[in-house]
Structure formats: C-alpha cells, structure tokens
Amino acid sequence: MGAERIAAVDEVPADGSLLYTVSDDGEEREAILLQLSDGSVSSFLNYCMHWTDVKLDTGDGAPVRGDDVVCRKHAATFEKDSGVCTHGPCEGAQLDPVSVAVRSGDVYLDDTDYEFVRAGVEDDDPVDRSTSPGERLGF
Ligand code: FES
C-alpha cells in the first residue's frame, strides 16, 4: 500500500513531539507526531492556527500539558487527539491533520494528500526559538 514508515511509536515522546517532513504537491511541510494517552499517535502540520508562521515544535519538541499541545507564542492549547483549540486566541480552530497509522510498533504516513520526505526536518532550516509575545518578523 506504499505507506511509508515515519518512526517507531517508542520514539514519539509523551511530553513533546517528533518532527518529520512531508511533501504537499512538491512543497515540503513540517509535521509533528504526538503520543496520546492510550498509546496511539496523532499527527498535524507543524504550525499554529493563530499565526500560521509560528511553529508548534521549533526543534526541541512542542510543549505538552496533559492531553494538550501548547503554542509558545500566546499559549493556545490544542487537543492532542483532535487538534482542536480549546483555549486561546484561535479557540475552535483545528490544526491541519495528517493521517497516520500504527502497525507493529511503527508509525506510518497514511494520507493520500502528502508524501513522506524524511524523519526530522532540514538541518539548514532556521529554528525559530523566539518566545517573546508580540515579536514578529516584519515582512
Ligand atoms: S501564534 Fe500560536 S497562539 Fe498565537
């Protein structure tokens, strides 16, 4: 069925996220894997629904609080299973889901909209470690 292995389930942290890269019609996009409380795995594109130029995982794992993943910028919280924002400036919005499947302890990309590119992200991709509220590049 052509589904590509992304990582072992054991590599997906409970208290963070695991970055990988997909291609969407030739354009590379970052995505994250999140471990759910039942041991399964969810996946979303790696950007906040409030400001879409803000990454949830800036290279060291997205902050996780209980069953939510948290945006560092303005502290929006998104349910790890559904991706729905339950608190914050984009409340009610939903992270862009990427369909993944778990088989025999491994996570596979299972989404016809995306092609798997690599585990992790491009090394020369500048990491946005900015955490100051309101700070933004002025392009
Ligand atoms: S950019 Fe994520 S909450 Fe504002």
Side-chain angles (χ1 to χ4, degrees):
M1 44 190 289
E4 293 226 44
R5 179 186 178 278
I6 303 169
V9 173
D10 289 349
E11 294 176 71
V12 183
D15 58 352
S17 56
L18 191 70
L19 276 170
Y20 69 104
T21 304
V22 294
S23 168
D24 178 6
D25 275 338
E27 184 187 345
E28 290 196 3
R29 312 284 302 267
E30 292 183 13
I32 56 173
L33 295 176
L34 297 166
Q35 189 190 114
L36 307 182
S37 52
D38 65 359
S40 60
V41 174
S42 65
S43 182
F44 303 95
L45 294 182
N46 183 29
Y47 65 88
C48 183
M49 299 314 290
H50 180 216
W51 286 358
T52 55
D53 57 345
V54 171
K55 297 177 182 183
L56 296 170
D57 184 337
T58 56
D60 53 354
V64 163
R65 197 187 302 143
D67 291 329
D68 296 323
V69 60
V70 183
C71 177
R72 287 182 170 94
K73 201 69 153 181
H74 310 107
T77 58
F78 300 90
E79 291 177 341
K80 285 167 74 175
D81 55 356
S82 69
V84 171
C85 178
T86 54
H87 179 79
C90 48
E91 192 169 329
Q94 185 182 17
L95 298 175
D96 275 336
V98 181
S99 183
V100 294
V102 172
R103 285 194 295 274
S104 306
D106 290 316
V107 188
Y108 291 85
L109 181 65
D110 189 26
D111 195 316
T112 53
D113 288 340
Y114 302 107
E115 286 174 35
F116 178 72
V117 176
R118 72 180 76 83
V121 295
E122 221 27 299
D123 286 345
D124 58 0
D125 194 4
V127 172
D128 173 13
R129 294 192 185 279
S130 163
T131 54
S132 321
E135 189 178 304
R136 211 173 180 198
L137 294 175
F139 290 107

